[in-house]
RNA sequence: GUGGGUAUAGUCAAGUGGUUAAGACAGCGGGUUGUGGUUCCGCCAUGCAUGGGUUCGAACCCCAUUACCCACC
């Protein structure tokens, strides 16, 4: 028995309504996972993250390995206990940092050598090491150590990179022993090339893992390109396993992903832009810093029932941000997270009622994308 | 009242005769997609207290005026 299982409940077109059962609880899918890189969803108390309906959050192997160190987290009794979050946790493998650290790292067949962004010290992250760290953290879902190719990247770069990611996945699988309490998800790569995506999918699906992710998208490519790549590769993943589109995203991308059969998403966007004064609302993105909100005493999103919108005005939120007050980050983050989690809940309902397409159109019309 | 000093953007300021007047903060606008983000990128003085003068050319030199600061009466 694997730690994480998926049950498909209903389909509306390719959109899937399902449940994931993990050691720390059930997850209704499609799901949006808030990101808590350093064992905290920034500016949020775990209780508040729970209250707004998040059923799973994401943490990062690379960051926790560097600080405080996975041995510390393990000594604390595992990540759940350490950070006071008793629902499922997914940990990213550190693979994305291979991409985002740019020239501060070197990739070899063995793994990736990093210069710590904290103190410059050098560290080697390999498939085996990533499994060791994620095992010590004790997350429900652990991700394979992969390489996310940049965009744009030519075939000559992407093909060997993708093949190495597949070899790394084999090593991850071999190193991952604790399959009863944690489940390893594989990651498809292949850049923007349909045939490489197909090859990657075929190779990783053979390994019969409890779940699969699509990596290497949402790295700066145009939306249409991401959609067309998804068109060509989501169906290559097994129907009876959860499908996770990594690093996505904005509300519109969520709809595009679900429409093509994606079950899981994560993104730093709501928390990051929240801390920087931008809100996601049902009528589009709002920059609360704008002078036009100086005397606007309406709630951020009049249609929202989150704590922030029930109690505070745009003028107050603007004031808090301009004053550099901590409450600004808290209130905006809570709203943004609530908005995306709630958007996913609406998507799930629409799939159950076979009206996903209409729901998507309605959302776009209001959000200002159409 | 006498002597001295200072006046450059909302604020603090660089610039002491030669092409489009540094920079910082504030302000304004934008960005942000498996978090290297109290972050990043733009914009923001046709004008240097005011009025004259010298000069090919003045924020810069000269004169007057005004305001403020410091001393001394």
């Amino acid at each position: 028995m694997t730690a994480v299982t998926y049950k498909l409940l209903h389909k509306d077109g390719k959109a899937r309504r399902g449940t994931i059962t993990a050691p720390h609880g059930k997850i209704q899918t499609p799901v949006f996972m808030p990101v808590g890189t350093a064992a905290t969803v920034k500016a949020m108390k775990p209780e508040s993250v729970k209250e707004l309906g998040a059923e799973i959050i994401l943490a990062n192997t690379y960051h926790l390995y560097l600080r405080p160190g996975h041995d510390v987290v393990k000594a604390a009794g595992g990540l759940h206990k350490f950070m006071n979050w008793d629902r499922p946790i997914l940990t990213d493998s550190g693979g994305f940092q291979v991409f985002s650290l740019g020239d501060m790292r070197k990739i070899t067949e063995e793994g990736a050598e990093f210069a710590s962004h904290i103190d410059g010290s050098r560290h080697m992250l390999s498939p085996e090491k990533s499994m060791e760290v994620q095992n010590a953290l004790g997350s429900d879902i652990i991700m394979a150590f992969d390489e996310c190719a940049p965009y744009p990247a030519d075939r000559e770069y992407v093909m060997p990179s993708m093949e190495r990611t597949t070899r790394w996945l084999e090593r991850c699988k071999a190193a991952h022993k604790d399959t009863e309490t944690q489940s390893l998800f594989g990651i498809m790569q292949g850049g923007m090339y349909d045939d490489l995506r197909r090859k990657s999918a075929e190779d990783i699906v053979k390994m019969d893992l409890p779940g699969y992710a699509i990596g290497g998208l949402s790295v700066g490519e145009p939306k249409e390109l991401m959609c067309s790549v998804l068109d060509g590769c989501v169906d290559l993943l097994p129907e009876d396993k959860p499908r996770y589109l990594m690093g996505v995203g904005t509300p519109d991308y969520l709809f595009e992903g679900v429409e093509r059969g994606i079950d899981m998403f994560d993104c730093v966007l709501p928390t990051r832009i929240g801390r920087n004064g931008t809100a996601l609302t049902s009528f589009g993105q709002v920059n609360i810093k704008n002078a036009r909100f100086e005397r606007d005493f309406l709630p951020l999103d009049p249609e929202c029932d989150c704590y922030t919108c029930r109690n505070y005005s745009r003028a107050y939120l603007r004031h808090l941000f301009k004053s550099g007050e901590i409450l600004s980050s808290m209130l905006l983050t809570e709203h943004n997270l609530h908005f995306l989690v709630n958007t996913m809940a609406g998507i799930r309902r629409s799939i159950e009622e076979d009206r996903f397409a209409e729901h998507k159109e309605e959302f776009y019309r209001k959000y200002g994308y159409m």
Side-chain angles (χ1 to χ4, degrees):
Chain A
M1 187 66 185
T2 54
V4 172
T5 56
Y6 174 75
K7 190 175 174 195
L8 177 59
L9 300 174
H10 184 73
K11 280 182 82 176
D12 176 9
K14 286 184 178 180
R16 292 145 54 93
R17 173 71 183 88
T19 35
I20 292 170
T21 305
H24 288 84
K26 280 199 177 207
I27 302 150
Q28 302 303 319
T29 64
V31 65
F32 175 78
M33 307 183 282
V35 176
T37 302
T40 168
V41 177
K42 294 184 196 298
M44 295 285 289
K45 290 201 284 188
E47 289 92 321
S48 308
V49 178
K50 239 173 167 175
E51 274 164 28
L52 81 229
E55 295 183 311
I56 173 172
I57 60 172
L58 188 149
N60 194 289
T61 298
Y62 165 80
H63 297 263
L64 295 175
Y65 156 75
L66 286 181
R67 188 170 58 192
H70 53 298
D71 54 318
V72 173
V73 177
K74 188 170 186 175
L79 188 52
H80 289 88
K81 198 170 172 204
F82 187 52
M83 68 179 291
N84 186 35
W85 173 261
D86 59 10
R87 290 182 177 178
I89 296 175
L90 178 152
T91 41
D92 191 16
S93 63
F96 188 70
Q97 276 61 48
V98 175
F99 162 76
S100 68
L101 256 37
D103 47 326
M104 283 176 72
R105 66 14 177 181
K106 200 172 89 192
I107 307 163
T108 62
E109 185 62 28
E110 170 60 18
E113 195 187 0
F114 301 87
S116 160
H117 69 281
I118 298 167
D119 62 8
S121 58
R122 305 206 67 90
H123 302 268
M124 165 65 83
L125 217 46
S126 63
E128 291 77 16
K129 185 70 185 179
S130 180
M131 293 299 104
E132 179 201 326
V133 175
Q134 295 189 71
N135 185 247
L137 297 175
S139 42
D140 299 70
I141 298 173
I142 64 178
M143 298 304 298
F145 188 68
D146 67 333
E147 189 205 343
C148 175
Y151 176 82
D154 50 37
R155 292 183 64 89
E156 288 62 46
Y157 181 92
V158 175
M159 185 153 71
S161 164
M162 174 272 283
E163 290 169 346
R164 184 173 48 227
T165 286
T166 302
R167 291 192 297 276
W168 282 358
L169 177 57
E170 282 164 356
R171 285 164 56 187
C172 284
K173 193 185 174 189
H176 174 54
K177 308 290 186 207
D178 219 347
T179 55
E180 301 274 310
T181 54
Q182 296 185 301
S183 279
L184 169 67
F185 279 24
I187 304 174
M188 179 209 296
Q189 288 292 343
M192 305 298 151
Y193 305 97
D194 288 342
D195 59 319
L196 298 184
R197 286 274 165 189
R198 176 172 292 276
K199 170 75 174 137
S200 175
E202 284 169 359
D203 291 344
I204 66 175
V205 167
K206 279 181 203 154
M207 291 183 228
D208 191 31
L209 296 164
Y212 293 95
I214 297 174
L217 289 181
S218 195
V219 287
E221 77 281 7
K223 184 178 176 182
E224 305 69 43
L225 181 54
M226 189 194 84
C227 287
S228 82
V229 172
L230 283 179
D231 282 335
C233 74
V234 180
D235 295 337
L236 304 174
L237 297 174
E239 273 259 298
D240 60 344
K241 303 285 173 65
R243 309 193 290 211
Y244 165 26
L245 178 56
M246 306 183 82
V248 170
T250 54
D252 55 324
Y253 278 45
L254 261 33
F255 277 87
E256 300 302 333
V258 168
E259 182 173 41
R260 291 163 174 81
I262 298 293
D263 306 301
M264 304 164 72
F265 303 86
D266 82 280
C267 191
V268 303
L269 192 84
T271 45
R272 178 182 288 171
I273 68 175
R275 274 177 281 121
N276 288 314
T278 302
L280 266 11
T281 75
S282 50
F283 48 89
Q285 209 163 292
V286 169
N287 190 338
I288 202 65
K289 295 171 272 187
N290 288 2
R292 63 194 164 105
F293 298 123
E294 187 180 13
R295 287 163 191 279
D296 188 337
F297 302 109
L298 290 171
L300 199 46
D301 184 347
E303 295 181 10
C304 179
D305 63 349
C306 81
Y307 172 74
T308 302
C309 290
R310 274 186 282 120
N311 296 288
Y312 305 95
S313 67
R314 296 167 183 172
Y316 182 62
L317 293 171
R318 176 174 191 271
H319 158 69
L320 288 179
F321 186 86
K322 306 280 298 181
S323 308
E325 288 292 340
I326 294 167
L327 187 58
S328 163
S329 293
M330 295 166 62
L331 259 24
L332 248 27
T333 299
E334 181 156 358
H335 166 81
N336 284 347
L337 247 22
H338 175 97
F339 180 76
L340 283 191
V341 167
N342 207 254
T343 296
M344 288 311 287
I347 287 176
R348 287 196 297 271
R349 247 174 279 125
S350 77
I351 298 171
E352 286 163 7
E353 296 164 6
D354 290 309
R355 51 176 186 80
F356 173 76
E358 298 92 292
H359 182 57
K360 180 190 172 197
E361 196 180 322
E362 188 188 328
F363 178 89
Y364 264 76
R365 193 164 43 235
K366 218 155 134 191
Y367 201 77
Y369 275 105
M370 277 177 123

